[in-house]
Amino acid sequence: MKRTFDTGNAAITEAAIRAGCTLFAGYPITPATEIAENMSRRLPQVGGYYLQAEDENAALHICNGGSIGGLKAMTATSGPGFILFADAFGWAVSSEVPVVIVNSQRVGPVSGITGAPGQGEFYLSRYLTHGGNFETIVLAPSSVQEAYRLTVRAFYLAERFRTPVIVLADQMVTDGWETLELPETDAEFHAMGLDVVPRRVHPGPEFYPATDDIDVPPVVLGHNTGAACSDWTPTDRGHDTEDITWQHKHAWRLIHKILNHRDLIDEADEWFLDDDPEVILVAYGTPSRVVQKTVKAARHEGLPVGGIRPISLWPFQDHLFSRKAIYLVVELNWDGQLVREVQRAAVDGSSVHFWGRCGELPTSGELLEVINKLLKYEPLERDGWRTEKW
Amino acid sequence: MSDLLEKYVRPEKNPGTACKGCGLRLAHRKVLEAIDELGLTQGDVVWGTGIGCSGRQTFVTWKGDTFAGTHGRVYAMATGLRLALPPEKRLILTVGDGDAFTIGFLHLLNAARRNVDMTVVVFDNLGYQSTGGQYGVTTPLGSKTDSSPYGAWEPNWTQGGFDVLNILKEAGATFLARHTVLQGHEPVESLKKAIQNPGFSLVQLIYPCVTHYGVQALGTRNLASIYDWFRERTSDDLSADSNTHFTTGIVHDAVGSRVEFAAGLRGFVASVQKGGPDGAAD
C-alpha cells in the first residue's frame, strides 16, 4: 500500500486510471479543474486520451462516443458544467452506455462562489435529464480515501449496469488534502472490496433485451455486429420505433435493471443506532464528517443520538429511515433537498427537521445545541431567514 | 439501384420512411453509390446520424454498425468514437442543415479544428422540415415558411456574400464540397473524395423537400415543378451569384495537409510514453 497525502482530485484521478479509464474529456471548472489537469498528466502515461472539449455538453458526448467505441470514459465538473450534461446524460441512460461523471458541488445557485462547498445537485443528479422513465446511480464520497474507492466503484457499476454513474462529491472532498492509501497490488486492491469489470462487446442482435438483467455487455460499434444505439426508443435490435409496447419494455428495463439489483448499489454508514436513539442525524458528503463527530460527542454526553450517512444517494435508501425517531437532516444548502426524501421515507410517527448551511460547514457546537432543542421538543425556528423552513 | 439498397440497407428500412417524392432518397443513394464505388463493405463503415428529417430517415438504415446522436452533438460523439475505432474504419454522418449549421455548429467547428477523421454529409433541405417547415440558416431569403409567413428576412449563411463552408474552411476542415441531388455523378465523386480523406470532410447536399418547402415557399405540390426549380437554381460554377443560385463544386480540397486528430493524439501519447515532450518522468 502506498501511503500519500493528497487531494480528492488526485484520488479520483488515480481511481479512474486503476479502473481502466482511457478517455477523459472535460472543460476546466473550479473546483474540478485539478481532475482534468491530473488526467492530462496521467492518461498519456498509460496510453489513454485526454481531450479538452469546447463545453461540458461536448465533453460528455465525447465520452459517450468513446464509450460506444469500447473505451472506458470519465468527465468531471461542477454545477455550471453539470447542468450542461443533461443532453448527453440522457443519451447515455437510454442507450445504456457506461460512463462515469464526477461532480464537485459548489455553492449556488448558478455560478455562485467557486471556492465554497455546496450540496445543490442532490435532485439534479437524480434527474439529470428529461423524459422520466429511468433510474440513476449516484455515489457520494465524504473523504479523499472514499473518493478513490467510490470512483473505482462507479466504473464497476457503470459496466455491470450499462449506465452512467455519478460521483457526487463536494468542493471540500475534492480540494481537501488527507491521507490517501493507494493499493499497489491486485491483492491490496481486492482487499479494499474493489474490482474492475473489463469492457465487453455485445455480440448482437438483441442489444436491448426486454429484461431486468445486469451484466449485459454494452453496445460497442466497430465490430460489424450490426450494433445500433440512439436516443430513440429502441426495439430489442436497437431500431427506432414509435411502438408503445417497445417504449414500455425499454422504460421497464431502465428502471428495474437498477431497482432489482440494489444489493450491488446500496451503501450507508450507521452510527449508534442499536439502542434506537431518540434523535438521528442524517447527512452525506463533507457535512457527514461533522455529523459523525457530533454524534460521538453527544453520546459522550449521554444523549440518545445516532447518525445515518447514505453513501449511495440514488436509488434512495428508504429502508434506512424505518426507525421511529426525530430525524435531523444536515445539508450544505438552505432550500433543503435530502431532507425532502427523508421526510418521505421516514416511518410514521417520526418527525423530520432540517439544518442547512449555505457555502460553509456547520459546527459540532451548533448541532449539539439543535439536538438539545429537539430532545426537549423545542421548535428550531430562528430569526428572519434563519428558519427551519425548507 | 435497388441492388444498392439491398446490398447496404437493412430490409426493415427499405423502402424508407421519407415522404413520397422527397429528395432525401436521392441524397441517400448518392452516399451509397460513393461507398459502393469505393468498394467498401458494411464492415468498413460506421454510420452516425443526427436529428431531423435527414437523421431520422437514415438512422439504422445501414446494415453495419450505426448510431444516432442527440440534436447537433453527433460531431462531438464522433470525435470520441474516432479515438476508439481503427483508422481504416470510415465514419460517415448523415445530418441535416439545422443539426450541422445551427444547433451543432460549435461542435462541427471544433471537429474541423481538430481535423477529426469523419465525413459529414449535410442533407440540406433548406430549413426545419421535420417540424413542419420553419426557416433555417440555409433557407433562401424571402422564402415563405410556417415561421416566416411574410418571407424569411434573417441573414442566412448561404447568401449575401456568406458561405457557411468558408467558415469551416477557416476552422480547419480538409475537404469541403457542395452539390444538389439534381446533379448526376458530381456529388458522388465529391463524396468519394470526402470519404477517402483521412481528416474532417463535409459535403453539403441540397435536396428538395416537396411536402413543406415546395408547398410553402414554392407554392406548388407539383413534383416536377419543384424539382425544376431546384434544377434551374443549381449552378456548376462556384463563383456564380449565391443570392440566386446554389453554387456547387469542391469548395476546399486540402486533403493530406494536416495531421488527423486521432493519429496525432496517438502519436503524442506514444511520445509521452517514451519520455517524449518534456518527459513524462513522474
Side-chain angles (χ1 to χ4, degrees), chain A residues 6-13 29-35 38 76-78 102-106 114 116-117 141-145 147 151 167-178 286 289:
Chain A
D6 220 322
T7 62
N9 288 317
I12 289 164
T13 305
I29 183 169
T30 306
T33 307
E34 282 172 28
I35 299 173
N38 288 333
T77 192
S78 190
V102 178
N103 178 9
S104 174
Q105 296 177 97
R106 69 193 210 195
T114 59
S142 68
S143 69
V144 169
Q145 189 67 52
T151 303
V167 177
L168 191 66
D170 59 63
Q171 179 264 340
M172 298 191 84
V173 166
T174 57
D175 272 353
W177 290 75
E178 286 186 294
T286 299
R289 305 275 292 264

Short mmCIF file of all heavy atoms in Angstrom, two decimals, chain A residues 6-13 29-35 38 76-78 102-106 114 116-117 141-145 147 151 167-178 286 289:
data_model
loop_
_atom_site.label_atom_id
_atom_site.label_comp_id
_atom_site.label_asym_id
_atom_site.label_seq_id
_atom_site.Cartn_x
_atom_site.Cartn_y
_atom_site.Cartn_z
N ASP A 6 -2.75 13.62 -0.13
CA ASP A 6 -3.14 14.22 -1.40
C ASP A 6 -4.59 14.69 -1.36
O ASP A 6 -5.28 14.55 -0.35
CB ASP A 6 -2.91 13.22 -2.54
CG ASP A 6 -2.33 13.89 -3.78
OD1 ASP A 6 -2.76 15.03 -4.07
OD2 ASP A 6 -1.49 13.29 -4.44
N THR A 7 -5.06 15.19 -2.51
CA THR A 7 -6.41 15.75 -2.60
C THR A 7 -7.41 14.71 -3.11
O THR A 7 -7.02 13.68 -3.66
CB THR A 7 -6.44 16.93 -3.60
OG1 THR A 7 -6.09 16.42 -4.89
CG2 THR A 7 -5.47 18.02 -3.19
N GLY A 8 -8.68 15.03 -2.98
CA GLY A 8 -9.72 14.18 -3.56
C GLY A 8 -9.59 14.15 -5.08
O GLY A 8 -9.86 13.13 -5.72
N ASN A 9 -9.18 15.28 -5.65
CA ASN A 9 -8.97 15.32 -7.10
C ASN A 9 -7.94 14.28 -7.54
O ASN A 9 -8.13 13.59 -8.54
CB ASN A 9 -8.49 16.71 -7.52
CG ASN A 9 -9.60 17.75 -7.44
OD1 ASN A 9 -10.72 17.47 -7.84
ND2 ASN A 9 -9.29 18.92 -6.91
N ALA A 10 -6.86 14.18 -6.78
CA ALA A 10 -5.82 13.20 -7.11
C ALA A 10 -6.34 11.78 -6.89
O ALA A 10 -6.06 10.88 -7.70
CB ALA A 10 -4.58 13.45 -6.26
N ALA A 11 -7.12 11.60 -5.84
CA ALA A 11 -7.67 10.27 -5.54
C ALA A 11 -8.59 9.80 -6.67
O ALA A 11 -8.53 8.64 -7.10
CB ALA A 11 -8.45 10.31 -4.22
N ILE A 12 -9.42 10.72 -7.15
CA ILE A 12 -10.35 10.39 -8.24
C ILE A 12 -9.57 10.02 -9.50
O ILE A 12 -9.90 9.07 -10.21
CB ILE A 12 -11.33 11.56 -8.47
CG1 ILE A 12 -12.31 11.66 -7.29
CG2 ILE A 12 -12.06 11.42 -9.80
CD1 ILE A 12 -13.05 12.97 -7.20
N THR A 13 -8.52 10.78 -9.77
CA THR A 13 -7.70 10.51 -10.95
C THR A 13 -7.08 9.12 -10.87
O THR A 13 -7.17 8.33 -11.82
CB THR A 13 -6.57 11.56 -11.06
OG1 THR A 13 -7.16 12.86 -11.07
CG2 THR A 13 -5.75 11.35 -12.33
N ILE A 29 -13.14 23.80 -14.83
CA ILE A 29 -14.09 24.49 -13.96
C ILE A 29 -13.69 24.26 -12.51
O ILE A 29 -13.43 23.13 -12.09
CB ILE A 29 -15.55 24.03 -14.22
CG1 ILE A 29 -16.52 24.83 -13.34
CG2 ILE A 29 -15.72 22.54 -14.00
CD1 ILE A 29 -17.99 24.64 -13.72
N THR A 30 -13.65 25.36 -11.75
CA THR A 30 -13.37 25.26 -10.33
C THR A 30 -14.57 24.66 -9.62
O THR A 30 -15.70 25.07 -9.91
CB THR A 30 -13.10 26.66 -9.76
OG1 THR A 30 -12.07 27.26 -10.56
CG2 THR A 30 -12.68 26.62 -8.31
N PRO A 31 -14.43 23.75 -8.71
CA PRO A 31 -13.19 23.18 -8.16
C PRO A 31 -12.84 21.80 -8.72
O PRO A 31 -12.17 21.03 -8.02
CB PRO A 31 -13.55 23.08 -6.67
CG PRO A 31 -15.02 22.76 -6.68
CD PRO A 31 -15.61 23.36 -7.92
N ALA A 32 -13.22 21.51 -9.97
CA ALA A 32 -12.92 20.18 -10.52
C ALA A 32 -11.76 20.23 -11.52
O ALA A 32 -11.39 19.21 -12.09
CB ALA A 32 -14.16 19.59 -11.19
N THR A 33 -11.20 21.43 -11.72
CA THR A 33 -10.16 21.58 -12.74
C THR A 33 -8.99 20.63 -12.52
O THR A 33 -8.42 20.10 -13.47
CB THR A 33 -9.64 23.03 -12.73
OG1 THR A 33 -10.77 23.90 -12.86
CG2 THR A 33 -8.69 23.29 -13.88
N GLU A 34 -8.64 20.42 -11.26
CA GLU A 34 -7.46 19.59 -10.98
C GLU A 34 -7.64 18.15 -11.42
O GLU A 34 -6.66 17.46 -11.68
CB GLU A 34 -7.12 19.64 -9.49
CG GLU A 34 -6.41 20.92 -9.11
CD GLU A 34 -6.24 21.05 -7.61
OE1 GLU A 34 -6.17 20.00 -6.94
OE2 GLU A 34 -6.19 22.17 -7.12
N ILE A 35 -8.89 17.70 -11.50
CA ILE A 35 -9.11 16.34 -12.01
C ILE A 35 -8.70 16.31 -13.48
O ILE A 35 -7.97 15.40 -13.92
CB ILE A 35 -10.58 15.91 -11.83
CG1 ILE A 35 -10.95 15.91 -10.34
CG2 ILE A 35 -10.81 14.52 -12.44
CD1 ILE A 35 -12.42 15.66 -10.06
N ASN A 38 -4.90 16.57 -13.67
CA ASN A 38 -4.25 15.30 -13.30
C ASN A 38 -4.43 14.26 -14.40
O ASN A 38 -3.52 13.49 -14.69
CB ASN A 38 -4.83 14.77 -11.98
CG ASN A 38 -4.38 15.60 -10.79
OD1 ASN A 38 -3.31 16.20 -10.82
ND2 ASN A 38 -5.19 15.64 -9.75
N ALA A 76 -15.42 15.24 -15.52
CA ALA A 76 -15.57 15.81 -14.18
C ALA A 76 -15.90 17.28 -14.30
O ALA A 76 -15.41 17.97 -15.19
CB ALA A 76 -14.28 15.62 -13.38
N THR A 77 -16.73 17.76 -13.37
CA THR A 77 -17.17 19.15 -13.46
C THR A 77 -17.69 19.63 -12.12
O THR A 77 -17.60 18.94 -11.11
CB THR A 77 -18.26 19.27 -14.55
OG1 THR A 77 -18.49 20.65 -14.85
CG2 THR A 77 -19.57 18.64 -14.07
N SER A 78 -18.25 20.86 -12.14
CA SER A 78 -19.00 21.37 -11.00
C SER A 78 -20.35 21.87 -11.53
O SER A 78 -20.62 21.77 -12.73
CB SER A 78 -18.22 22.51 -10.33
OG SER A 78 -18.83 22.86 -9.11
N VAL A 102 -18.10 12.88 -12.58
CA VAL A 102 -17.80 13.39 -11.24
C VAL A 102 -18.31 14.83 -11.16
O VAL A 102 -18.06 15.64 -12.05
CB VAL A 102 -16.28 13.37 -10.96
CG1 VAL A 102 -15.98 13.96 -9.59
CG2 VAL A 102 -15.74 11.94 -11.06
N ASN A 103 -19.04 15.12 -10.09
CA ASN A 103 -19.47 16.50 -9.85
C ASN A 103 -18.97 16.94 -8.48
O ASN A 103 -19.37 16.38 -7.47
CB ASN A 103 -21.00 16.59 -9.91
CG ASN A 103 -21.52 18.00 -9.61
OD1 ASN A 103 -20.73 18.96 -9.51
ND2 ASN A 103 -22.82 18.13 -9.45
N SER A 104 -18.08 17.92 -8.48
CA SER A 104 -17.65 18.51 -7.23
C SER A 104 -18.55 19.71 -6.96
O SER A 104 -18.38 20.78 -7.55
CB SER A 104 -16.19 18.96 -7.33
OG SER A 104 -15.83 19.65 -6.16
N GLN A 105 -19.53 19.50 -6.07
CA GLN A 105 -20.56 20.53 -5.88
C GLN A 105 -19.99 21.77 -5.18
O GLN A 105 -19.28 21.66 -4.19
CB GLN A 105 -21.70 19.97 -5.02
CG GLN A 105 -22.45 18.83 -5.66
CD GLN A 105 -23.51 18.29 -4.71
OE1 GLN A 105 -24.67 18.65 -4.78
NE2 GLN A 105 -23.12 17.44 -3.80
N ARG A 106 -20.35 22.93 -5.73
CA ARG A 106 -20.01 24.20 -5.08
C ARG A 106 -21.31 24.95 -4.82
O ARG A 106 -22.35 24.61 -5.39
CB ARG A 106 -19.05 25.01 -5.94
CG ARG A 106 -19.64 25.53 -7.23
CD ARG A 106 -18.55 26.04 -8.16
NE ARG A 106 -19.03 27.13 -9.00
CZ ARG A 106 -18.39 27.56 -10.09
NH1 ARG A 106 -17.25 27.01 -10.45
NH2 ARG A 106 -18.88 28.55 -10.81
N THR A 114 -17.04 30.10 -6.35
CA THR A 114 -16.29 28.96 -6.90
C THR A 114 -15.60 28.13 -5.82
O THR A 114 -15.43 26.94 -5.97
CB THR A 114 -15.22 29.42 -7.91
OG1 THR A 114 -14.33 30.33 -7.24
CG2 THR A 114 -15.86 30.11 -9.09
N ALA A 116 -16.44 27.61 -2.54
CA ALA A 116 -17.19 27.22 -1.35
C ALA A 116 -18.01 25.98 -1.66
O ALA A 116 -18.60 25.87 -2.74
CB ALA A 116 -18.11 28.36 -0.91
N PRO A 117 -18.07 25.04 -0.72
CA PRO A 117 -18.77 23.79 -0.99
C PRO A 117 -20.28 23.96 -0.99
O PRO A 117 -20.82 24.86 -0.34
CB PRO A 117 -18.33 22.90 0.17
CG PRO A 117 -18.11 23.86 1.30
CD PRO A 117 -17.56 25.11 0.67
N PRO A 141 -18.99 10.47 -1.93
CA PRO A 141 -17.86 10.31 -1.02
C PRO A 141 -17.80 11.44 0.00
O PRO A 141 -18.25 12.56 -0.26
CB PRO A 141 -16.64 10.37 -1.95
CG PRO A 141 -17.09 11.22 -3.10
CD PRO A 141 -18.57 10.95 -3.26
N SER A 142 -17.22 11.13 1.17
CA SER A 142 -17.08 12.16 2.19
C SER A 142 -15.62 12.37 2.60
O SER A 142 -15.34 13.10 3.53
CB SER A 142 -17.91 11.81 3.43
OG SER A 142 -17.36 10.69 4.07
N SER A 143 -14.70 11.68 1.91
CA SER A 143 -13.28 11.85 2.25
C SER A 143 -12.45 11.58 1.00
O SER A 143 -12.97 11.06 0.00
CB SER A 143 -12.87 10.88 3.35
OG SER A 143 -12.89 9.55 2.84
N VAL A 144 -11.18 11.92 1.10
CA VAL A 144 -10.27 11.67 -0.02
C VAL A 144 -10.17 10.17 -0.30
O VAL A 144 -10.26 9.73 -1.45
CB VAL A 144 -8.88 12.28 0.29
CG1 VAL A 144 -7.84 11.83 -0.73
CG2 VAL A 144 -8.98 13.81 0.32
N GLN A 145 -10.02 9.40 0.77
CA GLN A 145 -9.89 7.94 0.59
C GLN A 145 -11.15 7.37 -0.05
O GLN A 145 -11.10 6.51 -0.92
CB GLN A 145 -9.64 7.27 1.94
CG GLN A 145 -9.30 5.79 1.84
CD GLN A 145 -7.95 5.55 1.17
OE1 GLN A 145 -6.95 6.13 1.57
NE2 GLN A 145 -7.93 4.73 0.13
N ALA A 147 -13.24 8.98 -1.93
CA ALA A 147 -13.33 9.44 -3.32
C ALA A 147 -12.63 8.43 -4.23
O ALA A 147 -13.10 8.15 -5.34
CB ALA A 147 -12.71 10.82 -3.47
N THR A 151 -14.94 6.12 -6.82
CA THR A 151 -14.70 6.31 -8.25
C THR A 151 -14.44 4.96 -8.91
O THR A 151 -14.95 4.68 -10.01
CB THR A 151 -13.52 7.27 -8.48
OG1 THR A 151 -13.82 8.52 -7.83
CG2 THR A 151 -13.30 7.53 -9.97
N VAL A 167 -20.52 10.33 -9.48
CA VAL A 167 -19.87 10.50 -8.18
C VAL A 167 -20.16 11.93 -7.74
O VAL A 167 -19.66 12.89 -8.32
CB VAL A 167 -18.34 10.27 -8.27
CG1 VAL A 167 -17.68 10.52 -6.92
CG2 VAL A 167 -18.05 8.85 -8.75
N LEU A 168 -21.05 12.05 -6.74
CA LEU A 168 -21.48 13.38 -6.30
C LEU A 168 -20.65 13.79 -5.09
O LEU A 168 -20.99 13.48 -3.95
CB LEU A 168 -22.97 13.37 -5.97
CG LEU A 168 -23.60 14.76 -5.76
CD1 LEU A 168 -23.60 15.57 -7.06
CD2 LEU A 168 -25.02 14.63 -5.22
N ALA A 169 -19.56 14.49 -5.38
CA ALA A 169 -18.67 14.96 -4.32
C ALA A 169 -18.99 16.42 -4.00
O ALA A 169 -19.98 16.97 -4.49
CB ALA A 169 -17.22 14.80 -4.76
N ASP A 170 -18.18 17.03 -3.17
CA ASP A 170 -18.30 18.47 -2.96
C ASP A 170 -16.91 19.08 -2.91
O ASP A 170 -15.91 18.35 -2.88
CB ASP A 170 -19.12 18.79 -1.69
CG ASP A 170 -18.52 18.19 -0.44
OD1 ASP A 170 -17.39 18.57 -0.08
OD2 ASP A 170 -19.18 17.34 0.19
N GLN A 171 -16.88 20.40 -2.91
CA GLN A 171 -15.60 21.10 -3.03
C GLN A 171 -14.61 20.70 -1.96
O GLN A 171 -13.40 20.62 -2.21
CB GLN A 171 -15.85 22.62 -3.02
CG GLN A 171 -14.62 23.49 -3.12
CD GLN A 171 -14.12 23.95 -1.76
OE1 GLN A 171 -14.87 23.93 -0.79
NE2 GLN A 171 -12.86 24.34 -1.69
N MET A 172 -15.09 20.40 -0.75
CA MET A 172 -14.15 20.06 0.32
C MET A 172 -13.57 18.67 0.14
O MET A 172 -12.41 18.43 0.47
CB MET A 172 -14.84 20.21 1.68
CG MET A 172 -15.28 21.64 1.91
SD MET A 172 -15.81 22.00 3.58
CE MET A 172 -14.27 22.33 4.37
N VAL A 173 -14.36 17.77 -0.42
CA VAL A 173 -13.84 16.42 -0.69
C VAL A 173 -12.78 16.48 -1.80
O VAL A 173 -11.73 15.85 -1.70
CB VAL A 173 -14.98 15.46 -1.09
CG1 VAL A 173 -14.43 14.18 -1.70
CG2 VAL A 173 -15.83 15.13 0.13
N THR A 174 -13.05 17.24 -2.86
CA THR A 174 -12.12 17.21 -4.00
C THR A 174 -10.90 18.09 -3.77
O THR A 174 -9.80 17.75 -4.18
CB THR A 174 -12.82 17.63 -5.31
OG1 THR A 174 -13.40 18.93 -5.14
CG2 THR A 174 -13.89 16.63 -5.69
N ASP A 175 -11.09 19.24 -3.12
CA ASP A 175 -9.96 20.15 -2.87
C ASP A 175 -9.19 19.77 -1.61
O ASP A 175 -8.04 20.17 -1.43
CB ASP A 175 -10.44 21.59 -2.69
CG ASP A 175 -10.54 22.33 -4.02
OD1 ASP A 175 -10.11 21.76 -5.04
OD2 ASP A 175 -11.04 23.47 -4.03
N GLY A 176 -9.86 19.05 -0.69
CA GLY A 176 -9.26 18.77 0.61
C GLY A 176 -8.07 17.83 0.52
O GLY A 176 -8.01 16.96 -0.34
N TRP A 177 -7.10 18.03 1.42
CA TRP A 177 -5.91 17.17 1.50
C TRP A 177 -6.07 16.22 2.68
O TRP A 177 -6.37 16.66 3.80
CB TRP A 177 -4.65 18.01 1.70
CG TRP A 177 -4.24 18.81 0.51
CD1 TRP A 177 -4.83 19.95 0.04
CD2 TRP A 177 -3.15 18.53 -0.37
NE1 TRP A 177 -4.19 20.40 -1.08
CE2 TRP A 177 -3.14 19.55 -1.36
CE3 TRP A 177 -2.19 17.51 -0.43
CZ2 TRP A 177 -2.20 19.59 -2.37
CZ3 TRP A 177 -1.25 17.56 -1.45
CH2 TRP A 177 -1.26 18.58 -2.42
N GLU A 178 -5.87 14.94 2.44
CA GLU A 178 -5.94 13.96 3.51
C GLU A 178 -4.99 12.81 3.17
O GLU A 178 -4.50 12.70 2.05
CB GLU A 178 -7.36 13.37 3.62
CG GLU A 178 -8.37 14.30 4.23
CD GLU A 178 -9.71 13.60 4.43
OE1 GLU A 178 -10.35 13.24 3.44
OE2 GLU A 178 -10.09 13.43 5.59
N THR A 286 -19.27 15.91 2.86
CA THR A 286 -18.46 16.53 3.90
C THR A 286 -19.25 16.84 5.19
O THR A 286 -18.72 16.61 6.28
CB THR A 286 -17.78 17.80 3.37
OG1 THR A 286 -16.92 17.42 2.28
CG2 THR A 286 -16.94 18.46 4.45
N ARG A 289 -19.12 14.39 7.99
CA ARG A 289 -17.93 14.30 8.86
C ARG A 289 -18.21 15.02 10.18
O ARG A 289 -17.85 14.57 11.26
CB ARG A 289 -16.71 14.92 8.17
CG ARG A 289 -16.38 14.35 6.79
CD ARG A 289 -15.53 13.11 6.87
NE ARG A 289 -14.19 13.37 7.35
CZ ARG A 289 -13.13 13.56 6.56
NH1 ARG A 289 -13.27 13.54 5.23
NH2 ARG A 289 -11.92 13.75 7.07
#
